[in-house]
Amino acid sequence: MEPDLPVNAGDYPDSYKSNTPKELLVMSYAENFRRQYLHLFRDRKPLLLCPANECDCKKFVCTTIKPTCLPYQDIYEFSKCAEFVADYLCYSLLDPPTELPKVLCSPATVTHQQKGNCFEYSTLLCSLLIGVGYDAYVISGYASKEVCLVDETNEICPLLQAPIQKKEQNNERPHKKYLVKPPKDLQSKFTLKQLEKKITEERESAEKLSKEEKQQMEPGKKSDELYGMRVHSWVLVLSGKREVPESFYIESLTGQVRGCDDPAYLGIESIWNHKNYWVNMQDCSQGLKNLVYDLGDSTRWEYIFPSNDKPVLHMSESGEHLADTPELEEYEETEMFLDLPHSWTQQLHITREDFQLRCPSGKKTKLYKKAKIEKFAPYLMKDGLVTKLSVYSDTKLENLIMVKEFYENREDKLEIREHNKQTGTTTEFFKPGKKNGLKEHQYKSLGQGPDFERIMIFYHEARVDGLARREEIGMHMSEYYINNADFLQFRHAMFGKKVKIFGPASKVAKRPTLCITERFVRNSSKPASEDVAERLFDINADTIKLTFHHDEQHITAATQEFIKPPNLEEKRDGTINLADFMVTYQVDPNASTQSNLELYKLLETLMKEELKSQAAIRDSEDEVTEILNERRKEEARTKLEISIYDVDRNEMARKLRLAQVEQEKEDKYREREMDTDYLAPFLTRLASAGELTHGQALKVREECLQDLKSRLIGMANLIQTRFEQETNALQQKQRWYQQNQTSTSKEEEEEYVGYCNEAMFRIHILEQRLSKHKEMAPLKFMALEQKLHNDPRLHEFF
């Protein structure tokens, strides 16, 4: 870990305050290049080659870049890395804005102070991008006023930009000679023309309004007196490395990725990385859209140090290529290149705490066109809020129309919450892992019951019933299923008004169910005429209607409609003719008619299914109530998940770590106790405290061995005694059972069997312990003899 950088210049490392001979040689090359450049291009502005650092020591800009790969996976991609740099630092404007900075601090100092100008932003970002494998360069050039001042009020918020979708190829079918003519369009042509005219007028008015807004907000020469002269720095990423398909810019102040033809960038003077420095020789009067980034072409990019990093195209006087001539190959083999010295800056180090804090104070606010973004560090807000997007209908940010909140590390798996101020609806999005599989919840008030408008979307893969969506609108509730075990696809229930219940307040009146409609997908194991496609239970009218699937041979489906006869359960003798209470439409005229008994069983089954459907509707209402109660509790006491590896925040991990430390202390204390002197009890019996004589040593040895022998014999006698006691008790119990076997009850017999099993288990254990003790006793005795023989206090006598 690198130490914190000091505040006083005298406390910096020597590399900050002086230059090595190789650095001086490189700076002399750069100075020679600067003089030639000023002589040849007197109308161009000076280059940023060797500015002073924080210790007022001049350093070559290429050696200021420190390629570093930080140990954080989140910034391995260029977009995340750019966003981190933009959020981590505070911006300092160039003063004056038309001149290059005289001081360029090292990336280590910039990260320590968490502030810098645009060149220091780009140097830090370029160091991190090169460290993770990108072909990145720092650009010194000119940009618009909005870019230099980080004014994004004319930009569309990145969170509101629609993702780029690939255009689908239109695979037109080949024209066939014989085709079925399409049906005639019976719509009124006059109505279609009027509708098309209205749409065209609305589109033209919207385009005109947006064009006027762009003209008012578009930066240009008229709105900025310093247009084209404001110095700025950003980062160029060339294609090739890390599978980058196309070169692009990264605005280091905002972390935004821009195209190489972005009109906000007006010109480029030079670019550099940690290996070389290139000066742009191309015309930028028309912007950067026609610039070619072939750094090996010296007619477009003039370099300071020739190297093999970028291939150079050599031309003869006649204009012919000389890349393949033997003389040039021999020259290339013998030519020596000056390699740049290593970076003089300290290693970049950002602590995990600072990395997670992101912003200098943990908070950052950005303003966009009709939008505002507030960013918060993880765990900074108690509810886990990390990003808050506010969308307005005006550019003055006064009329709020939508608020979108992004959360992280919440135990309730809440990820996004969207408040629509115009409609008054709230939509919540959850990550997988909730107990009920909830994925999305749209409602107007969380405190309302299940009989109010709401939409719930579930992870159907995580549910047993395969429920994917539940909608409640007024007195209707609809449920959609995917891969249901009963082939159920859709269920709709229509409710009536609540009936008042007179009684305790704990009883809640539920809406009566008037009608239930269920639809099923095709079950291939059944014939189509027997596979129900739709089932309608009209509870209010006591009717049941079935609609079956139709097969490929028919264009209509069979139907059956039953009217529930009164007192059907009491008349099981078949006296009721159910054909009088039903209407049947059979597609196949040759199909056999059902008997009265078959109709009776079918109707009985349908009535049971009706009860099951009503119970399922009640269960759905109870589940909605349970979800709402659970959400209210979760919002009342929001809890955040903390990784077990985050020992700084995880209280449980901290307690576990402290417990491990205490356990280690106890183990060490126990080891010290185990390492106590085993001869101490016998040495204390001697009168003299000096060196042992031969007789005393012999006596101590005999007493120690005799003590172990007596302990081993005592342990063997104890095990043998317990073994005999258990055996005698078992024999006595067996004799009792043999004498009273005919008069014992079932409970006494079960008790006897249990006692015998436990006694045999104890006898078996004692027998094993006695056998093991007899095997180990001689080994323990011999080990003690060897230990006494090797003891330094007794070794000289034996």
Side-chain angles (χ1 to χ4, degrees), residues 46-49 51 61 64-65 89 91-94 96-107 110 116-127 138-142 230-235 251-253 269-272 277:
L47 303 174
L48 183 66
L49 290 170
V61 289
T64 307
I65 297 176
L89 303 179
Y91 180 46
S92 301
L93 294 172
L94 292 176
T98 57
E99 294 184 7
L100 295 170
K102 297 180 179 179
V103 177
L104 183 64
C105 295
S106 66
V110 172
N117 56 40
C118 56
F119 285 87
E120 292 164 345
Y121 266 75
S122 300
T123 302
L124 174 59
L125 178 57
C126 188
S127 301
V138 179
I139 296 180
S140 174
Y142 308 95
R230 294 182 181 273
V231 176
H232 188 61
S233 177
W234 62 100
V235 173
E251 178 50 54
S252 55
L253 301 182
E269 288 287 354
S270 59
I271 67 173
W272 64 88
Y277 190 101

Side-chain angles (χ1 to χ4, degrees), residues 38-136:
L38 289 178
H39 177 72
L40 296 174
F41 305 99
R42 299 178 182 274
D43 56 337
R44 293 185 64 170
K45 288 192 175 183
L47 303 174
L48 183 66
L49 290 170
C50 301
N53 64 358
E54 52 266 46
C55 296
D56 199 22
C57 179
K58 290 188 176 182
K59 296 286 184 178
F60 187 47
V61 289
C62 293
T63 60
T64 307
I65 297 176
K66 183 73 172 180
T68 305
C69 181
L70 294 176
Y72 306 115
Q73 188 178 1
D74 296 345
I75 56 175
Y76 188 68
E77 299 296 332
F78 66 87
S79 57
K80 297 293 183 180
C81 186
E83 183 181 358
F84 168 74
V85 173
D87 293 339
Y88 189 74
L89 303 179
C90 291
Y91 180 46
S92 301
L93 294 172
L94 292 176
D95 188 20
T98 57
E99 294 184 7
L100 295 170
K102 297 180 179 179
V103 177
L104 183 64
C105 295
S106 66
T109 303
V110 172
T111 55
H112 177 69
Q113 297 177 351
Q114 288 190 260
K115 66 177 181 180
N117 56 40
C118 56
F119 285 87
E120 292 164 345
Y121 266 75
S122 300
T123 302
L124 174 59
L125 178 57
C126 188
S127 301
L128 297 179
L129 290 177
I130 295 176
V132 295
Y134 288 100
D135 192 10

